[in-house]
Amino acid sequence: DAMVIQNPRYQVTQFGKPVTLSCSQTLNHNVMYWYQQKSSQAPKLLFHYYDKDFNNEADTPDNFQSRRPNTSFCFLDIRSPGLGDAAMYLCATSQGTGGNEKLFFGSGTQLSVL
Amino acid sequence: GNSVTQMEGPVTLSEEAFLTINCTYTATGYPSLFWYVQYPGEGLQLLLKATKADDKGSNKGFEATYRKETTSFHLEKGSVQVSDSAVYFCALRFVYGGSQGNLIFGKGTKLSVKP
């Protein structure tokens, strides 16, 4: 009964080769988030969508883009992955962005860059 | 800036031991505070939360009290089980203001409970 689904669980790409990570949800939530979690570090918000409105964090590199074609799906595109982009990428959803909103997380995609 | 600091792990305990995982925060406003848990191979799940000073969040035997005077939100459990083995993340989030919507995490503390 997974509600936030990320595929694949593990993704390997080559240095400089574009890669797309996918996330889908069955909760019909308005908000979808992408977090980057490097080894032994805190998850860091890259951006989020409220419906179709894209909200980029100020320090998110231009190399990272996102698409949300419909309510259920959200994609993370890394245009030219570097070795420093190897990380766990977490997708999450919530109904709204209020401070008390509960976030629902997927299991994450572990990205390796060779 | 806004940040969350957790005690370094890993933490290894025997079953039925008392657990404390320290968490302190720095915030320019009045955040809500959360503990998330990540079991092996799974996504993060909300464990408990507190939305204002002196609130106590509790769930599954875990508790944490929002202490504004010490800017802390320490996680405690009186008797841990092997099934509590996981990574625990302290986090904050603002209800209002420009940072609304952004859940700011600590680095996580890995807990291993031995039988």
Side-chain angles (χ1 to χ4, degrees):
Chain A
D1 290 4
M3 296 177 286
V4 182
I5 304 158
Q6 291 187 246
N7 285 309
R9 183 72 175 89
Y10 300 94
Q11 175 75 54
V12 180
T13 190
Q14 293 178 333
F15 184 94
K17 183 176 181 180
V19 65
T20 295
L21 309 182
S22 67
C23 177
S24 64
Q25 56 141 336
T26 60
L27 297 164
N28 205 35
H29 279 170
N30 292 315
V31 192
M32 296 188 76
Y33 308 80
W34 279 103
Y35 282 83
Q36 179 193 60
Q37 184 182 14
K38 295 186 177 180
S39 180
S40 301
Q41 295 186 23
K44 180 179 177 299
L45 183 65
L46 296 173
F47 27 58
H48 73 275
Y49 272 96
Y50 195 121
D51 289 335
K52 297 181 180 179
D53 292 333
F54 179 69
N55 298 272
N56 198 30
E57 294 300 302
D59 55 356
T60 298
D62 293 340
N63 198 27
F64 291 85
Q65 304 287 321
S66 187
R67 296 171 284 134
R68 190 178 185 185
N70 53 52
T71 300
S72 300
F73 286 88
C74 193
F75 300 100
L76 170 62
D77 300 311
I78 308 177
R79 292 192 298 185
S80 181
L83 298 179
D85 296 327
M88 174 72 82
Y89 289 88
L90 300 169
C91 175
T93 74
S94 65
Q95 184 63 356
T97 57
N100 299 327
E101 290 279 351
K102 178 178 178 179
L103 268 66
F104 293 80
F105 282 84
S107 298
T109 294
Q110 182 69 50
L111 177 68
S112 299
V113 181
L114 304 180
Chain B
N2 303 308
S3 65
V4 175
T5 303
Q6 293 181 232
M7 64 187 288
E8 294 282 331
V11 174
T12 302
L13 296 173
S14 297
E15 207 164 22
E16 299 184 3
F18 185 87
L19 168 71
T20 300
I21 300 178
N22 290 337
C23 171
T24 57
Y25 67 90
T26 302
T28 54
Y30 299 97
S32 295
L33 301 175
F34 305 83
W35 277 99
Y36 278 80
V37 58
Q38 186 174 30
Y39 297 104
E42 300 183 15
L44 278 74
Q45 304 173 27
L46 178 64
L47 180 60
L48 54 84
K49 69 177 184 181
T51 59
K52 62 183 185 297
D54 299 326
D55 269 3
K56 177 185 284 187
S58 61
N59 186 26
K60 299 181 181 179
F62 291 90
E63 292 184 341
T65 301
Y66 191 142
R67 300 287 188 200
K68 187 178 177 183
E69 63 277 12
T70 55
T71 61
S72 64
F73 193 54
H74 304 321
L75 182 68
E76 297 181 337
K77 187 175 185 181
S79 177
V80 294
Q81 306 300 312
V82 172
S83 58
D84 294 327
S85 299
V87 181
Y88 292 82
F89 292 89
C90 186
L92 66 82
R93 193 175 191 197
F94 289 95
V95 178
Y96 303 106
S99 299
Q100 184 184 24
N102 187 1
L103 195 62
I104 298 170
F105 288 94
K107 291 185 178 181
T109 303
K110 184 176 182 180
L111 170 66
S112 295
V113 181
K114 307 298 184 185

